């Protein structure tokens, strides 16, 4: 982990304390908003804590909705941040549902792959990983997709409050080692907890930093 500079943390805090607004859902590429602003996307296995983290980062109770059932998950959700708009957050559909039918998995891949490859304004993807479980093969699949699409991404541990400090350190070290073997991966890992608030100021700063 690295420390984000204090001024960036403060700038990000102020930005997220201001306007955050749901813009639209895109179930297919033709519904994407115009590529007017830099985008930072949140990706992760279903149940990784993505909705909770989006809500915690934006300080909104329920701006992002949790994907409890497979089937409601195949869309990209866009949120605008800043007044005037500085950037958009993109909630990507969760992946790795054990029970997802094959054609849904294929649909997911089409949507996500097309988005990843065709979106010049996409500045970074935050790939969320549960602190208790570490990287799974489905996470490695998306990391490979991102490497191949040459989209910069960063691994973010979620639910850090659920593990002991020593386990969290070990999880960070493991992810750091694996990130180093991927061309498009940021070398530093962020550890977060939506419950306790750990790492949220740093994550906000990392979002702002990523738009350059
Ligand atoms: P999503 O499917 O990735 O959007 O996951 P959710 O945000 O819906 O979270 C899945 C479950 O994990 C829910 O029961 C949350 O309450 C829980 N959860 C999410 N983030 C945290 C966290 O930081 N700490 C703890 N203890 N639980 C969390």
């Amino acid at each position: 982990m690295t420390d984000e500079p204090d001024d960036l943390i403060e700038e990000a805090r102020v930005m997220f304390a201001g306007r955050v607004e749901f813009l639209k859902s895109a179930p297919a590429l033709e519904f994407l908003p115009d590529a007017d602003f830099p985008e930072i996307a949140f990706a992760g296995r279903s149940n990784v804590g993505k909705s909770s983290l989006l809500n915690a980062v934006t300080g909104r109770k329920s701006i992002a909705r949790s994907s409890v059932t497979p089937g409601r998950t195949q869309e990209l959700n866009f949120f605008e941040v800043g007044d005037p708009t500085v950037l958009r957050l993109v909630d990507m559909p969760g992946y790795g549902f054990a029970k997802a039918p094959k054609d849904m998995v294929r649909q997911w891949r089409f949507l996500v792959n097309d988005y990843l490859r065709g979106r010049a304004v996409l500045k970074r993807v935050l790939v969320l990983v549960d602190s208790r479980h570490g990287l799974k093969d489905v996470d490695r699949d998306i990391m490979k997709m991102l490497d191949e699409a040459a989209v910069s991404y960063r691994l973010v541990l979620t639910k850090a409050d659920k593990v002991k400090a020593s386990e969290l350190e070990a999880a960070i070290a493991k992810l750091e080692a694996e990130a180093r073997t991927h061309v498009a991966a940021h070398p530093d890992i962020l550890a977060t907890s939506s419950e306790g608030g750990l790492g949220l100021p740093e994550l906000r700063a990392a979002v702002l930093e990523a738009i350059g």
Side-chain angles (χ1 to χ4, degrees):
M1 270 179 37
T2 46
D3 293 328
E4 305 290 346
D6 284 350
D7 51 350
L8 193 63
I9 290 208
E10 178 56 12
E11 198 186 329
R13 184 192 68 76
V14 170
M15 180 180 72
F16 279 103
R19 173 176 168 263
V20 181
E21 215 167 88
F22 173 74
L23 179 64
K24 69 184 300 189
S25 285
L29 284 194
E30 60 262 39
F31 300 104
L32 291 182
D34 290 343
D36 297 337
F37 299 101
E39 290 171 353
I40 306 293
F42 285 60
R45 295 169 65 214
S46 42
N47 214 39
V48 72
K50 183 161 52 66
S51 321
S52 306
L53 193 59
L54 273 160
N55 290 332
V57 156
T58 58
R60 309 310 199 264
K61 270 207 186 93
S62 54
I63 199 157
R65 271 174 304 162
S66 152
S67 46
V68 215
T69 47
R72 276 208 35 229
T73 57
Q74 306 292 302
E75 48 189 33
L76 298 154
N77 288 301
F78 291 80
F79 304 90
E80 288 200 339
V81 183
D83 189 11
T85 305
V86 175
L87 57 88
R88 287 184 181 142
L89 299 180
V90 185
D91 185 4
M92 291 179 65
Y95 53 83
F97 261 118
K99 288 188 208 137
K102 277 219 174 66
D103 57 343
M104 256 192 64
V105 175
R106 205 176 310 126
Q107 191 199 335
W108 184 95
R109 286 196 79 90
F110 278 134
L111 176 64
V112 168
N113 230 332
D114 284 355
Y115 171 70
L116 293 178
R117 285 173 188 275
R119 199 73 172 168
V121 291
L122 176 60
K123 298 302 176 192
R124 186 156 294 160
V125 177
L126 301 171
V127 178
L128 313 186
V129 179
D130 193 314
S131 296
R132 297 167 300 175
H133 307 316
L135 283 170
K136 301 282 182 192
D137 284 345
V138 279
D139 299 311
R140 297 189 176 97
D141 285 348
I142 197 173
M143 289 167 76
K144 193 162 165 254
M145 271 170 79
L146 291 162
D147 287 327
E148 286 169 2
V151 175
S152 163
Y153 61 98
R154 185 162 182 175
L155 300 175
V156 176
L157 285 166
T158 60
K159 309 187 190 180
D161 59 287
K162 291 230 183 192
V163 296
K164 290 192 213 130
S166 58
E167 290 168 338
L168 187 61
E169 287 308 312
I172 292 170
K174 252 181 143 171
L175 258 60
E176 264 172 2
E178 193 146 349
R180 269 185 235 117
T181 69
H182 287 265
V183 286
H186 193 290
D188 301 315
I189 313 301
L190 284 167
T192 64
S193 164
S194 304
E195 299 265 309
L198 176 87
L200 297 180
E202 290 78 8
L203 183 57
R204 292 184 192 109
V207 167
L208 196 52
E209 182 263 331
I211 69 167

